[in-house]
Amino acid sequence: ESTAALRTSRLAKMKKDESFLGRLGGTLARKKKSKEVSDLHEEGKNAINAPMLPTGVDIHPEDTLLEENTERIMLDPTSRENLKFKDLLKVLIDWINSELEEDRIIVKDLEEDCYDGQVLQKLFEKLSGRKLNVAEVTQSEIGQKQKLQTVLEAVNELLRPHGWTIEWSVDSIHSKNLVAILYLLVALAMHFQAPIRLPEHVSVQVVVVKVRCLLKNSSFFKTERDAFDTLLDHAPDKLNVVKTSLITFVNKHLNKLNLEVTELESQFADGVYLILLMGLLEDYFVPLYNFYLTPESFEQKVHNVSFAFELMQDGGLKKPKARPEDVVNLNLKSTLRVLYNLFTNYKNSE
């Protein structure tokens, strides 16, 4: 982990490894109720599959599935509970809503409302008095990124000559990276001398997830931070949400055979449920002579899990990263990786 602090006196000379949210001052009077997620199943699906959660936790599987030699900066979950950080979010949200009141735009969540470029476009146009040549409404990812590109080019062109360091990009904003969004909004507020007072000495913890290539024994070995390593290390409180969602997914199908899963680690360890689940997902019957229905030895269980992996590959899935032996040995992360792969590919199957 690394700590970041954003000093509003000047972002210009800061390095990314320095503090992120720094000396700001005061608050706005208006209040905003924090967004709540009450449905556990929906929260679990988001924790597994959404590109970025709107509230709660920023660390989840999709955030760590990165390309080689890339990195992503995410908020540590505990930072969202920081009172000064919450105050900063409220101040910025209230400021944006005040500026865009005539456009009848209401921002409730910075990540969800700023990522597609619409709000940022309107805010920049209002502050600068300059009309940007962009489409008003863009639903596709390509269209949203094109709009963001135009907006950010205009912002950067305005701010860079005044010494501001550009701590945001099209990809970081569109991926709902709250750190980048805050850098951008604070810079705009400071540059245009917004009539607001921001909280002082705000700091947050961030998690930097990196993927890199290592040279070992004259061969390249790709290493990456696994999504469930991150979950277990930095968001153990959300692990049960993910497990519950995966259990809901597998039971949706296993219930057709009057089977029920309550413990992911143990009930998939002998491979039987994995094999039956693949048959249900791909809509075929797996002959009983292909596997051990009541495996007793370690070798029989490994045979079953390996056979389940073969069925997955026959169904067009990539070879699981987990080893069959790890699943048999009740390794939770390995089991989660396998089930998450199935969830990703069959989540819409009936």
Side-chain angles (χ1 to χ4, degrees), residues 241-288:
V241 176
V242 173
K243 290 170 66 175
T244 299
S245 297
L246 290 176
I247 288 174
T248 300
F249 164 69
V250 298
N251 280 337
K252 172 185 174 182
H253 301 283
L254 290 176
N255 285 168
K256 299 171 186 176
L257 300 177
N258 294 319
L259 300 175
E260 184 87 13
V261 170
T262 56
E263 289 292 332
L264 295 180
E265 303 97 309
S266 59
Q267 289 183 266
F268 285 97
D270 63 7
V272 175
Y273 277 16
L274 276 178
I275 294 170
L276 297 177
L277 181 59
M278 280 307 304
L280 291 166
L281 293 172
E282 287 290 331
D283 196 24
Y284 56 69
F285 175 76
V286 182
L288 298 181

Side-chain angles (χ1 to χ4, degrees), residues 3-199:
T3 303
L6 192 109
R7 291 181 194 154
T8 54
S9 57
R10 188 62 84 182
L11 290 175
K13 304 300 181 183
M14 289 188 74
K15 297 180 180 178
K16 289 185 179 179
D17 292 334
E18 294 178 346
S19 54
F20 159 53
L21 294 169
R23 286 187 184 132
L24 309 173
T27 69
L28 278 181
R30 286 196 298 189
K31 303 291 183 180
K32 181 181 79 69
K33 292 182 180 180
S34 61
K35 191 174 182 181
E36 298 178 351
V37 178
S38 58
D39 189 280
L40 181 63
H41 179 58
E42 288 301 315
E43 183 180 357
K45 286 200 298 184
N46 287 337
I48 298 170
N49 203 45
M52 180 70 75
L53 280 177
T55 59
V57 173
D58 290 301
I59 303 169
H60 46 76
E62 292 297 332
D63 276 333
T64 59
L65 302 179
L66 306 178
E67 295 297 324
E68 191 172 290
N69 296 321
T70 59
E71 71 177 38
R72 174 169 290 180
I73 299 176
M74 298 172 286
L75 282 178
D76 185 281
T78 58
S79 290
R80 285 192 180 269
E81 302 307 312
N82 182 292
L83 294 180
K84 288 186 177 181
F85 179 72
K86 287 183 175 181
D87 194 19
L88 174 63
L89 295 181
K90 291 178 182 179
V91 170
L92 291 173
I93 288 172
D94 285 343
W95 168 58
I96 295 173
N97 287 334
S98 177
E99 291 290 345
L100 301 183
E101 185 175 5
E102 294 180 0
D103 293 292
R104 297 183 180 179
I105 291 177
I106 299 177
V107 172
K108 296 182 179 180
D109 183 279
L110 292 181
E111 293 132 306
E112 288 299 303
D113 295 334
C114 292
Y115 83 96
D116 62 1
Q118 181 74 13
V119 169
L120 293 177
Q121 172 210 340
K122 294 296 184 182
L123 180 63
F124 179 78
E125 289 180 341
K126 175 67 182 301
L127 295 173
S128 66
R130 172 186 169 188
K131 182 70 174 176
L132 297 178
N133 183 23
V134 293
E136 282 301 312
V137 180
T138 52
Q139 298 295 334
S140 69
E141 178 179 341
I142 294 177
Q144 291 170 353
K145 288 189 173 183
Q146 288 175 341
K147 171 177 280 192
L148 271 174
Q149 183 70 35
T150 301
V151 174
L152 295 185
E153 282 179 357
V155 170
N156 298 347
E157 181 182 331
L158 178 69
L159 297 182
R160 191 177 281 114
H162 295 275
W164 292 93
T165 299
I166 307 305
E167 303 283 359
W168 50 85
S169 66
V170 171
D171 287 336
S172 63
I173 299 295
H174 194 266
S175 66
K176 305 178 186 178
N177 184 327
L178 185 55
V179 177
I181 292 171
L182 288 175
Y183 268 121
L184 174 59
L185 292 177
V186 170
L188 288 173
M190 293 291 294
H191 179 80
F192 287 102
Q193 299 180 336
I196 57 177
R197 294 182 62 82
L198 298 152

